[in-house]
Structure formats: C-alpha cells, structure tokens
Amino acid sequence: MITKESYRPTPATAWTGRTDGKEADLLRWHQVIKTVDLLQQPLPALQKGQKGVVFLGFACDEGVRRNKGRTGAVEGPGVLRKVIANFPAHFSEQAVLLDAGDIVCVGTALEEAQLVLSNAVQAILTAGYLPVLLGGGHEITYGHASGIRQYMHGKGQLGLINFDAHFDIRIPGEEGPSSGTGFWQLAQDCKQSGEPFNYLALGIQKNGNTRQLFNIAGEEGATYVGADAFHLEDKDTIFAAIQHFLSQVDKVYLTTCLDVFAAPFAPGVSATAYNGITPGGLFLQCYRAILESGKVCGVDIAELNPSLDIDNRTAKLGAAIIFEVLMAYCGE
C-alpha cells in the first residue's frame, strides 16, 4: 500500500526543457508528459487504441549499501527525468505519457519499499500502461518483477532479461536482501509457487562474479551470455540465446544495470567495468530485438549514481535506452 511516507509525487515543474513551438512536429517530452499523484487519483483510463507509458522512480540505494557498494543511486530518478525531458516527441499524438512520481525507501526499510513498488507496478499494469521505472539501485528488480509476477499470475510465462555485468543472484547475507540478491529472491519465489524461473543475463563478467555465483546461476537454470560475446561481436551466439529465450516465454521483464557498460561510457555507477560492453550497434541490435518481440511488459534502468558521473555520461546513456523503449512501444 502506498503511503505518504513511501511516496513522493513529481511536481509538474520538474519537467522543463527547450520549447521550439507547440505544433505536433516540434514537441518534446516535457511538453506532453503529465504528472499524476497516486495518492490523490487513479491513473486515467486509456481510450481504445491508445498506448500509455508510466514513468515511476525508485528512490533507493539501501540495497547498494547492503551490498557494500558506493551509494548515491537514490538521486538517479530525478537526474534521469532531467535528461529525458528534452527528447523530441517522435511518437503518435495518441500516446499517453505519465509521471507517477517516486517510491521512496524510508531509512533502511528496503523490503517495505520493494513491496510498495510491487503494488504500484501492479496498478500501472492493471490500468493498461507500460511501467518504465527509473532507478535507484538494482534492488529495483525484486520490487518491479514481483509486481509483474503478481499481475501475470495465471496469464502465462514471465521471462526475466538482465543486461548486467553481474548475475545479482547472491544469497542474502546478515542484513538481508540487497542490490545483488534480486534474482535469487525471484528464483525462490518461483519455487514456492511452482513456476519456472526464466532468467537470461547478458553481458556477464567472469571477473565480477565468484564461482559460487556461477554455480547458483547453473543450479537455478539461468542462461547467460558473457561480455566477451559483445567484445568479439559474436552476434550469432547472442541472438540465438535471445531468440530461444523469447520463444519460451509470453512476457518479458527487461532490466539494464548501467554497470554492464564500459567505464568510459558509464562512470556513474557503483561498480565500474573497465572492460564492460559498449553501447553501440551490437548492444542496440540486441536491445531492439527484445523490444520488437512485443513481449516486454516492464522496463527499468538501474544503478545510475549521479554523484559519480562525469558530464552526465551515464545519465545520458540511461536516457538513450529509455528513448529506445518509447520508440519501440509508441513511436512513429
């Protein structure tokens, strides 16, 4: 349940940018997006034929702290909004863009924040919108995917696709769940409900995951493609893995941890990857192939840490990925 303590609506003044005019072919995102307060009003109903996207922030990096990372991702949602606000509106005039504010982690109450996030995601999906979540640490995964799982119950197979240098399938430690445990938690939930755990990780770094993590991934039946396939442009291997995975599921939760990218492109993350993948043609082909499947029902960007960024490089990269999502979902 969303409460005043766990929720922060976005003021309309947060969406500002260049204005070239009010004609349809001159509009930018800040001119068409509308803010909604989930505590005051339900999401507006979509008309027949309309497509809608709801941006929702997850202002939290408690999971990063528990995972012994560098905190600061709590400021990620606000910075991502500033960057995407100025994008040109290359989508149908029938498209509906809403900003539903931020789910906030109060103190160290990560588990409660994830539950609130899950409920908010369910509400967004029930209203017919695509949730596009702005992180926040990668603890966003458990709350976001749990909300989709609840909504999807009895409606088919859900697949989990993660662009990441890390599996995030760590067993929780003394402090409990963290930014590195989300997929382990989801695997346990699937076992309890008798559902298959469909997980594809893309961009995994061997130097960033212990043997235990590779073993756990194998035990849970996860599929992965290492970063080397991207470095060596092994397109056939990557696309075969993606297409096979997509053929086995009905819907997809798609998350991107920005630390999957090489440090020069993504310096503003908790754990930089000097040899991460590049956000160029091969990555875009893979990302677009997933979007074009028509199966994506939830997207998020995780681990943007503005305090560690350089010239907004990481924020702009995260924003560019969000742009791809909007173009695939409601672009012209």
Side-chain angles (χ1 to χ4, degrees):
M1 181 178 180
I2 299 175
T3 64
K4 289 183 178 180
E5 292 74 25
S6 62
Y7 176 68
R8 181 174 60 213
T10 302
T13 54
W15 289 91
T16 59
R18 175 172 174 156
T19 300
D20 296 320
K22 296 184 178 180
E23 295 85 350
D25 59 351
L26 293 175
L27 295 177
R28 296 175 184 270
W29 287 18
H30 70 87
Q31 293 174 274
V32 299
I33 198 163
K34 296 180 180 179
T35 58
V36 293
D37 185 337
L38 296 179
L39 289 174
Q40 300 294 327
Q41 63 193 103
L43 294 171
L46 292 169
Q47 303 301 312
K48 186 177 181 180
Q50 280 187 319
K51 286 188 175 181
V53 171
V54 173
F55 295 112
L56 180 68
F58 188 52
C60 177
D61 58 13
E62 168 61 14
V64 176
R65 186 196 67 77
R66 294 184 187 183
N67 203 30
K68 300 179 175 59
R70 300 183 293 176
T71 58
V74 65
E75 302 296 335
V79 173
L80 282 170
R81 285 187 179 92
K82 290 180 181 178
V83 180
I84 66 177
N86 223 33
F87 279 143
H90 289 293
F91 37 71
S92 167
E93 293 181 48
Q94 296 297 311
V96 179
L97 270 65
L98 302 176
D99 180 353
D102 292 337
I103 303 301
V104 179
C105 179
V106 181
T108 60
L110 171 59
E111 292 84 350
E112 289 81 352
Q114 289 173 322
L115 179 58
V116 174
L117 182 64
S118 173
N119 292 335
V121 168
Q122 289 180 64
I124 292 169
L125 290 167
T126 300
Y129 292 83
L130 174 71
V132 176
L133 273 53
L134 315 175
H138 217 170
E139 58 264 38
I140 196 173
T141 279
Y142 186 64
H144 190 173
S146 293
I148 297 175
R149 287 188 68 246
Q150 293 298 319
Y151 173 78
M152 281 280 295
H153 186 68
K155 299 177 183 177
Q157 295 286 320
L158 176 64
L160 313 167
I161 299 182
N162 179 26
F163 281 93
D164 202 333
H166 311 97
F167 282 112
D168 286 351
I169 201 163
R170 191 182 301 274
I171 299 171
E174 290 183 3
E175 285 197 87
S178 72
S179 61
T181 66
F183 290 99
W184 185 88
Q185 293 172 265
L186 291 167
Q188 307 318 301
D189 289 351
C190 287
K191 287 179 183 177
Q192 290 180 10
S193 61
E195 301 172 42
F197 175 60
N198 303 305
Y199 177 33
L200 172 63
L202 301 169
I204 292 295
Q205 295 275 6
K206 198 165 187 178
N207 64 10
N209 297 270
T210 62
R211 282 187 295 172
Q212 183 188 64
L213 294 174
F214 277 95
N215 290 339
I216 293 173
E219 291 165 3
E220 300 297 348
T223 303
Y224 74 93
V225 177
D228 280 354
F230 289 86
H231 297 323
L232 303 175
E233 297 190 358
D234 191 354
K235 181 178 176 179
D236 291 344
T237 295
I238 303 171
F239 270 70
I242 291 173
Q243 295 302 333
H244 178 70
F245 186 83
L246 290 173
S247 71
Q248 295 182 310
V249 299
D250 300 291
K251 294 292 182 181
V252 168
Y253 158 67
L254 177 59
T255 180
T256 302
C257 184
L258 292 169
D259 70 17
V260 74
F261 299 107
F265 301 98
V269 295
S270 174
T272 54
Y274 76 92
N275 62 342
I277 70 175
T278 59
L282 183 54
F283 164 74
L284 284 174
Q285 288 181 63
C286 296
Y287 200 80
R288 288 171 179 171
I290 296 167
L291 295 175
E292 290 167 4
S293 72
K295 295 185 176 184
V296 174
C297 63
V299 179
D300 63 47
I301 300 294
E303 297 284 346
L304 168 62
N305 187 331
S307 69
L308 301 172
D309 210 359
I310 300 172
D311 196 29
N312 270 352
R313 289 182 205 170
T314 318
K316 290 176 180 177
L317 174 52
I321 295 171
I322 294 170
F323 185 82
E324 292 291 329
V325 174
L326 269 288
M327 292 306 94
Y329 190 68
C330 52
E332 289 187 320

